[in-house]
Amino acid sequence: AQSVTQLDSQVPVFEEAPVELRCNYSSSVSVYLFWYVQYPNQGLQLLLKYLSGSTLVKGINGFEAEFNKSQTSFHLRKPSVHISDTAEYFCAVSLNTDKLIFGTGTRLQVFP
Amino acid sequence: GAGVSQTPSNKVTEKGKYVELRCDPISGHTALYWYRQSLGQGPEFLIYFQGTGAADDSGLPNDRFFAVRPEGSVSTLKIQRTERGDSAVYLCASSLNSDTEAFFGQGTRLTVV
């Protein structure tokens, strides 16, 4: 079975500072990896995904993530955050790009 | 429609009652998913439709939960004899097919009192 661990439930950061949201997964087979963002009172939106190829994946809104197979990690990074990045971020894995298994989420709070 | 639409946006029901939650996927999307998000948790997979048939219903917690998609478009999630533990946000998503990005609706917040 697959599982996802998001190590930080909350990450406070000041505006324009860099941020890293951590995600580790567990699986005995190859998986696809995703990051979703959920803004207040909105649906989940795909930020980026890793299916194959380059391990550094660039997504929307200046976010990027790096797939590290040896460490079974897929950490999300942004070099300079904005107030508007305040949201809940979910890491997810999938065997076949259909059913997603989500982590418990990380609340990113950006302060001015 | 422009996006995945879920109705109602909020539903309050009494313990023991029956509820139906509706999902209108993006037009032309053959794959449809239901997830449940409890407070402080990530979304949890319930069921996946490819066309009219349930391709994977392994996430349905028990036989009180049932979902249909009779014409391969709109889907209804049905919960019988609701319990307080069923309170959650129920999310629907659709994708062009199972290999493409899933787009999520805003969810239905179900509260069982």
Side-chain angles (χ1 to χ4, degrees), chain A residues 36 38 43-44 46 90 97-100 102-104, chain B residues 33 35 37 41-43 45 56 58 98-99 101 104-105:
Chain A
Y36 281 84
Q38 189 173 36
L44 288 160
L46 180 66
F90 293 95
T97 73
D98 47 25
K99 177 171 75 175
L100 293 163
F102 286 89
T104 52
Chain B
Y33 312 83
Y35 291 83
Q37 187 174 15
Q41 301 296 315
F45 171 79
D56 184 347
S58 62
S98 63
D99 293 335
E101 177 185 348
F104 282 80

mmCIF file with all atom_site columns, all heavy atoms in Angstrom, chain A residues 36 38 43-44 46 90 97-100 102-104, chain B residues 33 35 37 41-43 45 56 58 98-99 101 104-105:
data_model
loop_
_atom_site.group_PDB
_atom_site.id
_atom_site.type_symbol
_atom_site.label_atom_id
_atom_site.label_alt_id
_atom_site.label_comp_id
_atom_site.label_asym_id
_atom_site.label_entity_id
_atom_site.label_seq_id
_atom_site.pdbx_PDB_ins_code
_atom_site.Cartn_x
_atom_site.Cartn_y
_atom_site.Cartn_z
_atom_site.occupancy
_atom_site.B_iso_or_equiv
_atom_site.pdbx_formal_charge
_atom_site.auth_seq_id
_atom_site.auth_comp_id
_atom_site.auth_asym_id
_atom_site.auth_atom_id
_atom_site.pdbx_PDB_model_num
ATOM 1   N N   . TYR A 1 36  ? -0.986  19.626 -4.517  1.00 0.00 ? 36  TYR A N   1
ATOM 2   C CA  . TYR A 1 36  ? -2.195  20.409 -4.718  1.00 0.00 ? 36  TYR A CA  1
ATOM 3   C C   . TYR A 1 36  ? -2.228  21.541 -3.697  1.00 0.00 ? 36  TYR A C   1
ATOM 4   O O   . TYR A 1 36  ? -1.723  21.408 -2.576  1.00 0.00 ? 36  TYR A O   1
ATOM 5   C CB  . TYR A 1 36  ? -3.449  19.538 -4.525  1.00 0.00 ? 36  TYR A CB  1
ATOM 6   C CG  . TYR A 1 36  ? -3.796  18.670 -5.705  1.00 0.00 ? 36  TYR A CG  1
ATOM 7   C CD1 . TYR A 1 36  ? -3.185  17.437 -5.889  1.00 0.00 ? 36  TYR A CD1 1
ATOM 8   C CD2 . TYR A 1 36  ? -4.749  19.082 -6.633  1.00 0.00 ? 36  TYR A CD2 1
ATOM 9   C CE1 . TYR A 1 36  ? -3.503  16.640 -6.978  1.00 0.00 ? 36  TYR A CE1 1
ATOM 10  C CE2 . TYR A 1 36  ? -5.074  18.283 -7.724  1.00 0.00 ? 36  TYR A CE2 1
ATOM 11  C CZ  . TYR A 1 36  ? -4.446  17.067 -7.891  1.00 0.00 ? 36  TYR A CZ  1
ATOM 12  O OH  . TYR A 1 36  ? -4.766  16.279 -8.966  1.00 0.00 ? 36  TYR A OH  1
ATOM 13  N N   . GLN A 1 38  ? -4.971  24.311 -1.760  1.00 0.00 ? 38  GLN A N   1
ATOM 14  C CA  . GLN A 1 38  ? -6.375  24.591 -1.456  1.00 0.00 ? 38  GLN A CA  1
ATOM 15  C C   . GLN A 1 38  ? -6.459  25.953 -0.787  1.00 0.00 ? 38  GLN A C   1
ATOM 16  O O   . GLN A 1 38  ? -6.094  26.106 0.381   1.00 0.00 ? 38  GLN A O   1
ATOM 17  C CB  . GLN A 1 38  ? -6.954  23.502 -0.550  1.00 0.00 ? 38  GLN A CB  1
ATOM 18  C CG  . GLN A 1 38  ? -8.444  23.584 -0.343  1.00 0.00 ? 38  GLN A CG  1
ATOM 19  C CD  . GLN A 1 38  ? -8.981  22.376 0.423   1.00 0.00 ? 38  GLN A CD  1
ATOM 20  O OE1 . GLN A 1 38  ? -8.325  21.848 1.318   1.00 0.00 ? 38  GLN A OE1 1
ATOM 21  N NE2 . GLN A 1 38  ? -10.160 21.917 0.050   1.00 0.00 ? 38  GLN A NE2 1
ATOM 22  N N   . GLY A 1 43  ? -11.777 24.951 -4.225  1.00 0.00 ? 43  GLY A N   1
ATOM 23  C CA  . GLY A 1 43  ? -11.441 23.560 -4.457  1.00 0.00 ? 43  GLY A CA  1
ATOM 24  C C   . GLY A 1 43  ? -9.943  23.357 -4.574  1.00 0.00 ? 43  GLY A C   1
ATOM 25  O O   . GLY A 1 43  ? -9.172  24.307 -4.672  1.00 0.00 ? 43  GLY A O   1
ATOM 26  N N   . LEU A 1 44  ? -9.529  22.114 -4.579  1.00 0.00 ? 44  LEU A N   1
ATOM 27  C CA  . LEU A 1 44  ? -8.128  21.771 -4.754  1.00 0.00 ? 44  LEU A CA  1
ATOM 28  C C   . LEU A 1 44  ? -7.666  22.118 -6.165  1.00 0.00 ? 44  LEU A C   1
ATOM 29  O O   . LEU A 1 44  ? -8.382  21.870 -7.136  1.00 0.00 ? 44  LEU A O   1
ATOM 30  C CB  . LEU A 1 44  ? -7.921  20.281 -4.522  1.00 0.00 ? 44  LEU A CB  1
ATOM 31  C CG  . LEU A 1 44  ? -8.018  19.796 -3.081  1.00 0.00 ? 44  LEU A CG  1
ATOM 32  C CD1 . LEU A 1 44  ? -8.275  18.298 -3.043  1.00 0.00 ? 44  LEU A CD1 1
ATOM 33  C CD2 . LEU A 1 44  ? -6.752  20.125 -2.333  1.00 0.00 ? 44  LEU A CD2 1
ATOM 34  N N   . LEU A 1 46  ? -4.263  21.786 -8.857  1.00 0.00 ? 46  LEU A N   1
ATOM 35  C CA  . LEU A 1 46  ? -2.980  21.139 -9.075  1.00 0.00 ? 46  LEU A CA  1
ATOM 36  C C   . LEU A 1 46  ? -1.871  22.179 -9.222  1.00 0.00 ? 46  LEU A C   1
ATOM 37  O O   . LEU A 1 46  ? -1.971  23.086 -10.047 1.00 0.00 ? 46  LEU A O   1
ATOM 38  C CB  . LEU A 1 46  ? -3.041  20.268 -10.335 1.00 0.00 ? 46  LEU A CB  1
ATOM 39  C CG  . LEU A 1 46  ? -1.766  19.519 -10.691 1.00 0.00 ? 46  LEU A CG  1
ATOM 40  C CD1 . LEU A 1 46  ? -1.448  18.465 -9.630  1.00 0.00 ? 46  LEU A CD1 1
ATOM 41  C CD2 . LEU A 1 46  ? -1.904  18.859 -12.060 1.00 0.00 ? 46  LEU A CD2 1
ATOM 42  N N   . PHE A 1 90  ? -1.287  20.134 -0.177  1.00 0.00 ? 90  PHE A N   1
ATOM 43  C CA  . PHE A 1 90  ? -1.393  18.686 -0.032  1.00 0.00 ? 90  PHE A CA  1
ATOM 44  C C   . PHE A 1 90  ? -0.476  17.986 -1.018  1.00 0.00 ? 90  PHE A C   1
ATOM 45  O O   . PHE A 1 90  ? -0.491  18.271 -2.216  1.00 0.00 ? 90  PHE A O   1
ATOM 46  C CB  . PHE A 1 90  ? -2.823  18.209 -0.290  1.00 0.00 ? 90  PHE A CB  1
ATOM 47  C CG  . PHE A 1 90  ? -3.814  18.658 0.741   1.00 0.00 ? 90  PHE A CG  1
ATOM 48  C CD1 . PHE A 1 90  ? -4.575  19.799 0.551   1.00 0.00 ? 90  PHE A CD1 1
ATOM 49  C CD2 . PHE A 1 90  ? -3.983  17.933 1.911   1.00 0.00 ? 90  PHE A CD2 1
ATOM 50  C CE1 . PHE A 1 90  ? -5.485  20.213 1.498   1.00 0.00 ? 90  PHE A CE1 1
ATOM 51  C CE2 . PHE A 1 90  ? -4.894  18.343 2.872   1.00 0.00 ? 90  PHE A CE2 1
ATOM 52  C CZ  . PHE A 1 90  ? -5.642  19.485 2.663   1.00 0.00 ? 90  PHE A CZ  1
ATOM 53  N N   . THR A 1 97  ? -2.099  7.394  -11.890 1.00 0.00 ? 97  THR A N   1
ATOM 54  C CA  . THR A 1 97  ? -2.612  8.750  -12.167 1.00 0.00 ? 97  THR A CA  1
ATOM 55  C C   . THR A 1 97  ? -4.117  8.840  -12.019 1.00 0.00 ? 97  THR A C   1
ATOM 56  O O   . THR A 1 97  ? -4.710  9.838  -12.408 1.00 0.00 ? 97  THR A O   1
ATOM 57  C CB  . THR A 1 97  ? -2.211  9.295  -13.569 1.00 0.00 ? 97  THR A CB  1
ATOM 58  O OG1 . THR A 1 97  ? -2.970  8.623  -14.585 1.00 0.00 ? 97  THR A OG1 1
ATOM 59  C CG2 . THR A 1 97  ? -0.740  9.130  -13.817 1.00 0.00 ? 97  THR A CG2 1
ATOM 60  N N   . ASP A 1 98  ? -4.759  7.808  -11.449 1.00 0.00 ? 98  ASP A N   1
ATOM 61  C CA  . ASP A 1 98  ? -6.182  7.977  -11.213 1.00 0.00 ? 98  ASP A CA  1
ATOM 62  C C   . ASP A 1 98  ? -6.443  8.237  -9.734  1.00 0.00 ? 98  ASP A C   1
ATOM 63  O O   . ASP A 1 98  ? -6.488  9.378  -9.304  1.00 0.00 ? 98  ASP A O   1
ATOM 64  C CB  . ASP A 1 98  ? -6.992  6.787  -11.743 1.00 0.00 ? 98  ASP A CB  1
ATOM 65  C CG  . ASP A 1 98  ? -6.388  5.442  -11.326 1.00 0.00 ? 98  ASP A CG  1
ATOM 66  O OD1 . ASP A 1 98  ? -5.691  5.388  -10.296 1.00 0.00 ? 98  ASP A OD1 1
ATOM 67  O OD2 . ASP A 1 98  ? -6.612  4.463  -12.028 1.00 0.00 ? 98  ASP A OD2 1
ATOM 68  N N   . LYS A 1 99  ? -6.591  7.216  -8.931  1.00 0.00 ? 99  LYS A N   1
ATOM 69  C CA  . LYS A 1 99  ? -6.858  7.385  -7.509  1.00 0.00 ? 99  LYS A CA  1
ATOM 70  C C   . LYS A 1 99  ? -5.666  8.039  -6.816  1.00 0.00 ? 99  LYS A C   1
ATOM 71  O O   . LYS A 1 99  ? -4.528  7.596  -6.935  1.00 0.00 ? 99  LYS A O   1
ATOM 72  C CB  . LYS A 1 99  ? -7.128  6.018  -6.900  1.00 0.00 ? 99  LYS A CB  1
ATOM 73  C CG  . LYS A 1 99  ? -7.352  6.034  -5.406  1.00 0.00 ? 99  LYS A CG  1
ATOM 74  C CD  . LYS A 1 99  ? -7.828  4.681  -4.930  1.00 0.00 ? 99  LYS A CD  1
ATOM 75  C CE  . LYS A 1 99  ? -6.742  3.649  -4.876  1.00 0.00 ? 99  LYS A CE  1
ATOM 76  N NZ  . LYS A 1 99  ? -7.226  2.380  -4.289  1.00 0.00 ? 99  LYS A NZ  1
ATOM 77  N N   . LEU A 1 100 ? -5.948  9.129  -6.086  1.00 0.00 ? 100 LEU A N   1
ATOM 78  C CA  . LEU A 1 100 ? -4.903  9.856  -5.374  1.00 0.00 ? 100 LEU A CA  1
ATOM 79  C C   . LEU A 1 100 ? -4.946  9.515  -3.892  1.00 0.00 ? 100 LEU A C   1
ATOM 80  O O   . LEU A 1 100 ? -6.014  9.427  -3.299  1.00 0.00 ? 100 LEU A O   1
ATOM 81  C CB  . LEU A 1 100 ? -5.097  11.367 -5.545  1.00 0.00 ? 100 LEU A CB  1
ATOM 82  C CG  . LEU A 1 100 ? -4.893  11.918 -6.954  1.00 0.00 ? 100 LEU A CG  1
ATOM 83  C CD1 . LEU A 1 100 ? -5.496  13.302 -7.077  1.00 0.00 ? 100 LEU A CD1 1
ATOM 84  C CD2 . LEU A 1 100 ? -3.416  11.959 -7.297  1.00 0.00 ? 100 LEU A CD2 1
ATOM 85  N N   . PHE A 1 102 ? -3.688  11.143 -0.467  1.00 0.00 ? 102 PHE A N   1
ATOM 86  C CA  . PHE A 1 102 ? -3.218  12.438 0.002   1.00 0.00 ? 102 PHE A CA  1
ATOM 87  C C   . PHE A 1 102 ? -2.563  12.343 1.373   1.00 0.00 ? 102 PHE A C   1
ATOM 88  O O   . PHE A 1 102 ? -2.895  11.490 2.190   1.00 0.00 ? 102 PHE A O   1
ATOM 89  C CB  . PHE A 1 102 ? -4.399  13.415 0.110   1.00 0.00 ? 102 PHE A CB  1
ATOM 90  C CG  . PHE A 1 102 ? -4.926  13.916 -1.195  1.00 0.00 ? 102 PHE A CG  1
ATOM 91  C CD1 . PHE A 1 102 ? -5.921  13.228 -1.867  1.00 0.00 ? 102 PHE A CD1 1
ATOM 92  C CD2 . PHE A 1 102 ? -4.442  15.097 -1.747  1.00 0.00 ? 102 PHE A CD2 1
ATOM 93  C CE1 . PHE A 1 102 ? -6.418  13.698 -3.078  1.00 0.00 ? 102 PHE A CE1 1
ATOM 94  C CE2 . PHE A 1 102 ? -4.937  15.568 -2.956  1.00 0.00 ? 102 PHE A CE2 1
ATOM 95  C CZ  . PHE A 1 102 ? -5.928  14.867 -3.626  1.00 0.00 ? 102 PHE A CZ  1
ATOM 96  N N   . GLY A 1 103 ? -1.656  13.298 1.613   1.00 0.00 ? 103 GLY A N   1
ATOM 97  C CA  . GLY A 1 103 ? -1.154  13.507 2.957   1.00 0.00 ? 103 GLY A CA  1
ATOM 98  C C   . GLY A 1 103 ? -2.148  14.343 3.747   1.00 0.00 ? 103 GLY A C   1
ATOM 99  O O   . GLY A 1 103 ? -3.197  14.730 3.234   1.00 0.00 ? 103 GLY A O   1
ATOM 100 N N   . THR A 1 104 ? -1.791  14.630 4.990   1.00 0.00 ? 104 THR A N   1
ATOM 101 C CA  . THR A 1 104 ? -2.704  15.355 5.868   1.00 0.00 ? 104 THR A CA  1
ATOM 102 C C   . THR A 1 104 ? -2.660  16.864 5.658   1.00 0.00 ? 104 THR A C   1
ATOM 103 O O   . THR A 1 104 ? -3.461  17.581 6.243   1.00 0.00 ? 104 THR A O   1
ATOM 104 C CB  . THR A 1 104 ? -2.400  15.048 7.334   1.00 0.00 ? 104 THR A CB  1
ATOM 105 O OG1 . THR A 1 104 ? -1.013  15.275 7.573   1.00 0.00 ? 104 THR A OG1 1
ATOM 106 C CG2 . THR A 1 104 ? -2.739  13.600 7.673   1.00 0.00 ? 104 THR A CG2 1
ATOM 107 N N   . TYR B 2 33  ? -14.377 11.213 -9.767  1.00 0.00 ? 33  TYR B N   1
ATOM 108 C CA  . TYR B 2 33  ? -13.891 10.714 -8.474  1.00 0.00 ? 33  TYR B CA  1
ATOM 109 C C   . TYR B 2 33  ? -14.659 11.378 -7.340  1.00 0.00 ? 33  TYR B C   1
ATOM 110 O O   . TYR B 2 33  ? -14.996 12.551 -7.411  1.00 0.00 ? 33  TYR B O   1
ATOM 111 C CB  . TYR B 2 33  ? -12.407 11.048 -8.290  1.00 0.00 ? 33  TYR B CB  1
ATOM 112 C CG  . TYR B 2 33  ? -11.523 10.716 -9.469  1.00 0.00 ? 33  TYR B CG  1
ATOM 113 C CD1 . TYR B 2 33  ? -11.404 11.594 -10.542 1.00 0.00 ? 33  TYR B CD1 1
ATOM 114 C CD2 . TYR B 2 33  ? -10.796 9.531  -9.501  1.00 0.00 ? 33  TYR B CD2 1
ATOM 115 C CE1 . TYR B 2 33  ? -10.587 11.301 -11.625 1.00 0.00 ? 33  TYR B CE1 1
ATOM 116 C CE2 . TYR B 2 33  ? -9.978  9.235  -10.580 1.00 0.00 ? 33  TYR B CE2 1
ATOM 117 C CZ  . TYR B 2 33  ? -9.882  10.121 -11.639 1.00 0.00 ? 33  TYR B CZ  1
ATOM 118 O OH  . TYR B 2 33  ? -9.071  9.817  -12.707 1.00 0.00 ? 33  TYR B OH  1
ATOM 119 N N   . TYR B 2 35  ? -14.134 12.023 -3.169  1.00 0.00 ? 35  TYR B N   1
ATOM 120 C CA  . TYR B 2 35  ? -13.247 11.986 -2.010  1.00 0.00 ? 35  TYR B CA  1
ATOM 121 C C   . TYR B 2 35  ? -14.000 12.551 -0.810  1.00 0.00 ? 35  TYR B C   1
ATOM 122 O O   . TYR B 2 35  ? -14.959 13.314 -0.962  1.00 0.00 ? 35  TYR B O   1
ATOM 123 C CB  . TYR B 2 35  ? -11.989 12.836 -2.236  1.00 0.00 ? 35  TYR B CB  1
ATOM 124 C CG  . TYR B 2 35  ? -11.025 12.293 -3.263  1.00 0.00 ? 35  TYR B CG  1
ATOM 125 C CD1 . TYR B 2 35  ? -11.224 12.531 -4.614  1.00 0.00 ? 35  TYR B CD1 1
ATOM 126 C CD2 . TYR B 2 35  ? -9.901  11.560 -2.876  1.00 0.00 ? 35  TYR B CD2 1
ATOM 127 C CE1 . TYR B 2 35  ? -10.326 12.040 -5.566  1.00 0.00 ? 35  TYR B CE1 1
ATOM 128 C CE2 . TYR B 2 35  ? -9.003  11.067 -3.813  1.00 0.00 ? 35  TYR B CE2 1
ATOM 129 C CZ  . TYR B 2 35  ? -9.230  11.307 -5.153  1.00 0.00 ? 35  TYR B CZ  1
ATOM 130 O OH  . TYR B 2 35  ? -8.337  10.812 -6.083  1.00 0.00 ? 35  TYR B OH  1
ATOM 131 N N   . GLN B 2 37  ? -13.158 14.611 2.865   1.00 0.00 ? 37  GLN B N   1
ATOM 132 C CA  . GLN B 2 37  ? -12.133 15.318 3.630   1.00 0.00 ? 37  GLN B CA  1
ATOM 133 C C   . GLN B 2 37  ? -12.681 15.658 5.010   1.00 0.00 ? 37  GLN B C   1
ATOM 134 O O   . GLN B 2 37  ? -13.532 16.535 5.147   1.00 0.00 ? 37  GLN B O   1
ATOM 135 C CB  . GLN B 2 37  ? -11.681 16.581 2.899   1.00 0.00 ? 37  GLN B CB  1
ATOM 136 C CG  . GLN B 2 37  ? -10.498 17.277 3.546   1.00 0.00 ? 37  GLN B CG  1
ATOM 137 C CD  . GLN B 2 37  ? -9.973  18.438 2.725   1.00 0.00 ? 37  GLN B CD  1
ATOM 138 O OE1 . GLN B 2 37  ? -10.628 18.921 1.805   1.00 0.00 ? 37  GLN B OE1 1
ATOM 139 N NE2 . GLN B 2 37  ? -8.769  18.900 3.052   1.00 0.00 ? 37  GLN B NE2 1
ATOM 140 N N   . GLN B 2 41  ? -7.731  16.765 7.994   1.00 0.00 ? 41  GLN B N   1
ATOM 141 C CA  . GLN B 2 41  ? -7.173  15.636 7.243   1.00 0.00 ? 41  GLN B CA  1
ATOM 142 C C   . GLN B 2 41  ? -7.087  15.954 5.759   1.00 0.00 ? 41  GLN B C   1
ATOM 143 O O   . GLN B 2 41  ? -7.718  16.890 5.276   1.00 0.00 ? 41  GLN B O   1
ATOM 144 C CB  . GLN B 2 41  ? -8.052  14.399 7.444   1.00 0.00 ? 41  GLN B CB  1
ATOM 145 C CG  . GLN B 2 41  ? -8.196  13.955 8.876   1.00 0.00 ? 41  GLN B CG  1
ATOM 146 C CD  . GLN B 2 41  ? -6.885  13.503 9.464   1.00 0.00 ? 41  GLN B CD  1
ATOM 147 O OE1 . GLN B 2 41  ? -6.129  12.758 8.830   1.00 0.00 ? 41  GLN B OE1 1
ATOM 148 N NE2 . GLN B 2 41  ? -6.590  13.951 10.674  1.00 0.00 ? 41  GLN B NE2 1
ATOM 149 N N   . GLY B 2 42  ? -6.315  15.147 5.049   1.00 0.00 ? 42  GLY B N   1
ATOM 150 C CA  . GLY B 2 42  ? -6.307  15.256 3.608   1.00 0.00 ? 42  GLY B CA  1
ATOM 151 C C   . GLY B 2 42  ? -7.497  14.521 3.014   1.00 0.00 ? 42  GLY B C   1
ATOM 152 O O   . GLY B 2 42  ? -8.140  13.711 3.688   1.00 0.00 ? 42  GLY B O   1
ATOM 153 N N   . PRO B 2 43  ? -7.805  14.797 1.762   1.00 0.00 ? 43  PRO B N   1
ATOM 154 C CA  . PRO B 2 43  ? -8.905  14.074 1.110   1.00 0.00 ? 43  PRO B CA  1
ATOM 155 C C   . PRO B 2 43  ? -8.630  12.574 1.088   1.00 0.00 ? 43  PRO B C   1
ATOM 156 O O   . PRO B 2 43  ? -7.491  12.142 0.886   1.00 0.00 ? 43  PRO B O   1
ATOM 157 C CB  . PRO B 2 43  ? -8.914  14.652 -0.301  1.00 0.00 ? 43  PRO B CB  1
ATOM 158 C CG  . PRO B 2 43  ? -8.285  16.003 -0.171  1.00 0.00 ? 43  PRO B CG  1
ATOM 159 C CD  . PRO B 2 43  ? -7.240  15.833 0.882   1.00 0.00 ? 43  PRO B CD  1
ATOM 160 N N   . PHE B 2 45  ? -9.859  8.965  -0.658  1.00 0.00 ? 45  PHE B N   1
ATOM 161 C CA  . PHE B 2 45  ? -10.535 8.412  -1.836  1.00 0.00 ? 45  PHE B CA  1
ATOM 162 C C   . PHE B 2 45  ? -11.735 7.567  -1.432  1.00 0.00 ? 45  PHE B C   1
ATOM 163 O O   . PHE B 2 45  ? -11.665 6.760  -0.499  1.00 0.00 ? 45  PHE B O   1
ATOM 164 C CB  . PHE B 2 45  ? -9.553  7.557  -2.628  1.00 0.00 ? 45  PHE B CB  1
ATOM 165 C CG  . PHE B 2 45  ? -10.173 6.762  -3.735  1.00 0.00 ? 45  PHE B CG  1
ATOM 166 C CD1 . PHE B 2 45  ? -10.496 7.357  -4.943  1.00 0.00 ? 45  PHE B CD1 1
ATOM 167 C CD2 . PHE B 2 45  ? -10.442 5.406  -3.566  1.00 0.00 ? 45  PHE B CD2 1
ATOM 168 C CE1 . PHE B 2 45  ? -11.064 6.616  -5.962  1.00 0.00 ? 45  PHE B CE1 1
ATOM 169 C CE2 . PHE B 2 45  ? -11.016 4.661  -4.577  1.00 0.00 ? 45  PHE B CE2 1
ATOM 170 C CZ  . PHE B 2 45  ? -11.334 5.263  -5.785  1.00 0.00 ? 45  PHE B CZ  1
ATOM 171 N N   . ASP B 2 56  ? -13.411 1.585  -9.429  1.00 0.00 ? 56  ASP B N   1
ATOM 172 C CA  . ASP B 2 56  ? -12.755 1.296  -8.148  1.00 0.00 ? 56  ASP B CA  1
ATOM 173 C C   . ASP B 2 56  ? -13.606 1.899  -7.042  1.00 0.00 ? 56  ASP B C   1
ATOM 174 O O   . ASP B 2 56  ? -13.727 3.108  -6.964  1.00 0.00 ? 56  ASP B O   1
ATOM 175 C CB  . ASP B 2 56  ? -11.347 1.898  -8.138  1.00 0.00 ? 56  ASP B CB  1
ATOM 176 C CG  . ASP B 2 56  ? -10.552 1.573  -6.873  1.00 0.00 ? 56  ASP B CG  1
ATOM 177 O OD1 . ASP B 2 56  ? -11.137 1.086  -5.876  1.00 0.00 ? 56  ASP B OD1 1
ATOM 178 O OD2 . ASP B 2 56  ? -9.331  1.817  -6.872  1.00 0.00 ? 56  ASP B OD2 1
ATOM 179 N N   . SER B 2 58  ? -13.149 0.874  -3.788  1.00 0.00 ? 58  SER B N   1
ATOM 180 C CA  . SER B 2 58  ? -12.493 0.335  -2.597  1.00 0.00 ? 58  SER B CA  1
ATOM 181 C C   . SER B 2 58  ? -12.474 1.292  -1.418  1.00 0.00 ? 58  SER B C   1
ATOM 182 O O   . SER B 2 58  ? -12.226 0.875  -0.291  1.00 0.00 ? 58  SER B O   1
ATOM 183 C CB  . SER B 2 58  ? -11.067 -0.083 -2.941  1.00 0.00 ? 58  SER B CB  1
ATOM 184 O OG  . SER B 2 58  ? -10.308 1.038  -3.372  1.00 0.00 ? 58  SER B OG  1
ATOM 185 N N   . SER B 2 98  ? -8.424  8.843  -17.243 1.00 0.00 ? 98  SER B N   1
ATOM 186 C CA  . SER B 2 98  ? -7.707  8.552  -15.997 1.00 0.00 ? 98  SER B CA  1
ATOM 187 C C   . SER B 2 98  ? -6.245  8.981  -16.038 1.00 0.00 ? 98  SER B C   1
ATOM 188 O O   . SER B 2 98  ? -5.581  8.998  -15.012 1.00 0.00 ? 98  SER B O   1
ATOM 189 C CB  . SER B 2 98  ? -7.801  7.062  -15.683 1.00 0.00 ? 98  SER B CB  1
ATOM 190 O OG  . SER B 2 98  ? -7.162  6.311  -16.707 1.00 0.00 ? 98  SER B OG  1
ATOM 191 N N   . ASP B 2 99  ? -5.730  9.351  -17.227 1.00 0.00 ? 99  ASP B N   1
ATOM 192 C CA  . ASP B 2 99  ? -4.315  9.719  -17.332 1.00 0.00 ? 99  ASP B CA  1
ATOM 193 C C   . ASP B 2 99  ? -4.082  11.216 -17.256 1.00 0.00 ? 99  ASP B C   1
ATOM 194 O O   . ASP B 2 99  ? -2.946  11.667 -17.346 1.00 0.00 ? 99  ASP B O   1
ATOM 195 C CB  . ASP B 2 99  ? -3.741  9.212  -18.667 1.00 0.00 ? 99  ASP B CB  1
ATOM 196 C CG  . ASP B 2 99  ? -3.693  7.704  -18.719 1.00 0.00 ? 99  ASP B CG  1
ATOM 197 O OD1 . ASP B 2 99  ? -3.642  7.080  -17.642 1.00 0.00 ? 99  ASP B OD1 1
ATOM 198 O OD2 . ASP B 2 99  ? -3.723  7.144  -19.829 1.00 0.00 ? 99  ASP B OD2 1
ATOM 199 N N   . GLU B 2 101 ? -5.039  15.354 -15.742 1.00 0.00 ? 101 GLU B N   1
ATOM 200 C CA  . GLU B 2 101 ? -5.242  16.097 -14.500 1.00 0.00 ? 101 GLU B CA  1
ATOM 201 C C   . GLU B 2 101 ? -6.692  16.058 -14.058 1.00 0.00 ? 101 GLU B C   1
ATOM 202 O O   . GLU B 2 101 ? -7.610  16.226 -14.856 1.00 0.00 ? 101 GLU B O   1
ATOM 203 C CB  . GLU B 2 101 ? -4.817  17.549 -14.688 1.00 0.00 ? 101 GLU B CB  1
ATOM 204 C CG  . GLU B 2 101 ? -5.048  18.436 -13.474 1.00 0.00 ? 101 GLU B CG  1
ATOM 205 C CD  . GLU B 2 101 ? -4.731  19.894 -13.736 1.00 0.00 ? 101 GLU B CD  1
ATOM 206 O OE1 . GLU B 2 101 ? -4.118  20.184 -14.778 1.00 0.00 ? 101 GLU B OE1 1
ATOM 207 O OE2 . GLU B 2 101 ? -5.099  20.739 -12.903 1.00 0.00 ? 101 GLU B OE2 1
ATOM 208 N N   . PHE B 2 104 ? -11.005 19.594 -9.355  1.00 0.00 ? 104 PHE B N   1
ATOM 209 C CA  . PHE B 2 104 ? -11.869 19.404 -8.191  1.00 0.00 ? 104 PHE B CA  1
ATOM 210 C C   . PHE B 2 104 ? -12.959 20.460 -8.110  1.00 0.00 ? 104 PHE B C   1
ATOM 211 O O   . PHE B 2 104 ? -12.744 21.626 -8.453  1.00 0.00 ? 104 PHE B O   1
ATOM 212 C CB  . PHE B 2 104 ? -11.034 19.460 -6.905  1.00 0.00 ? 104 PHE B CB  1
ATOM 213 C CG  . PHE B 2 104 ? -10.261 18.201 -6.626  1.00 0.00 ? 104 PHE B CG  1
ATOM 214 C CD1 . PHE B 2 104 ? -9.057  17.953 -7.270  1.00 0.00 ? 104 PHE B CD1 1
ATOM 215 C CD2 . PHE B 2 104 ? -10.747 17.267 -5.720  1.00 0.00 ? 104 PHE B CD2 1
ATOM 216 C CE1 . PHE B 2 104 ? -8.340  16.792 -7.013  1.00 0.00 ? 104 PHE B CE1 1
ATOM 217 C CE2 . PHE B 2 104 ? -10.033 16.101 -5.461  1.00 0.00 ? 104 PHE B CE2 1
ATOM 218 C CZ  . PHE B 2 104 ? -8.839  15.866 -6.113  1.00 0.00 ? 104 PHE B CZ  1
ATOM 219 N N   . GLY B 2 105 ? -14.109 20.051 -7.604  1.00 0.00 ? 105 GLY B N   1
ATOM 220 C CA  . GLY B 2 105 ? -15.150 20.982 -7.237  1.00 0.00 ? 105 GLY B CA  1
ATOM 221 C C   . GLY B 2 105 ? -14.867 21.570 -5.861  1.00 0.00 ? 105 GLY B C   1
ATOM 222 O O   . GLY B 2 105 ? -13.890 21.193 -5.203  1.00 0.00 ? 105 GLY B O   1
#
